Amino acid sequence: MDLHYALYHSKSLEPASATLHNDILQVSARNNARDHLTGFLHREADYFIQYIEGPKTRLYGALARIGRDTRHSNFEVIQNGPAEKRLLPDWTMGFVDPGLLNLSDLLDVSHGRLDIRTIDPFDLVIFLVSNAGALRSGAAAA
């Protein structure tokens, strides 16, 4: 398999709500299972941050579809490329809102001053994988 990954962020155009998040989670899980993609989405304040991995062609097709979604703006792929192995092999889509871990708290900044572009992409991936692990172990609610 030609395994690739991508890390992106965007700004939500809709207020946080269980209905919105459940819709995103259900559609993503269905599409990702079909396309053999795995990933984890985090929402914090107005930001969405996602790590997604899978076959190259399907991954980049999914990113194009995600980028066209009208529920967010400023879609930006922070980092992408080939991957040696999956970091989230058993997650068609994981999601925590606001998350067991909170970027603002970790960085000691207010939500209004959080700037995803200033965070090292590797640290964002570790953050998302840690949230997935915490959710898996039952320490957080989806």
Side-chain angles (χ1 to χ4, degrees):
M1 176 191 309
D2 190 16
L3 186 65
H4 275 239
Y5 78 95
L7 175 69
Y8 76 83
H9 73 92
S10 64
K11 183 172 170 101
S12 178
L13 296 176
E14 297 187 23
S17 74
T19 301
L20 170 67
H21 299 157
N22 286 337
D23 180 56
I24 291 169
L25 183 59
Q26 289 175 359
V27 171
S28 297
R30 183 182 64 241
N31 289 342
N32 290 353
R34 177 197 66 216
D35 294 337
H36 307 287
L37 301 173
T38 54
F40 199 84
L41 178 66
H42 176 80
R43 175 158 186 178
E44 185 159 337
D46 290 336
Y47 286 106
F48 285 115
I49 309 162
Q50 183 175 6
Y51 175 85
I52 189 168
E53 58 196 5
K56 181 179 180 179
T57 303
R58 293 191 178 188
L59 172 67
Y60 293 108
L63 288 174
R65 185 174 58 249
I66 292 166
R68 290 188 302 268
D69 192 316
T70 59
R71 295 174 290 192
H72 66 159
S73 66
N74 301 332
F75 175 83
E76 180 182 356
V77 175
I78 302 167
Q79 193 171 65
N80 63 307
E84 291 182 26
K85 67 176 189 169
R86 288 183 188 262
L87 297 179
L88 300 165
D90 55 346
W91 286 94
T92 54
M93 178 52 59
F95 179 77
V96 175
D97 174 34
L100 178 66
L101 299 175
N102 182 295
L103 277 171
S104 297
D105 290 343
L106 289 172
L107 299 173
D108 197 26
V109 297
S110 69
H111 286 299
R113 293 183 38 94
L114 182 64
D115 185 355
I116 300 300
R117 293 167 300 188
T118 64
I119 303 170
D120 184 312
F122 177 78
D123 291 338
L124 285 173
V125 171
I126 296 301
F127 172 80
L128 293 171
V129 171
S130 294
N131 259 346
L135 184 61
R136 181 180 297 111
S137 68

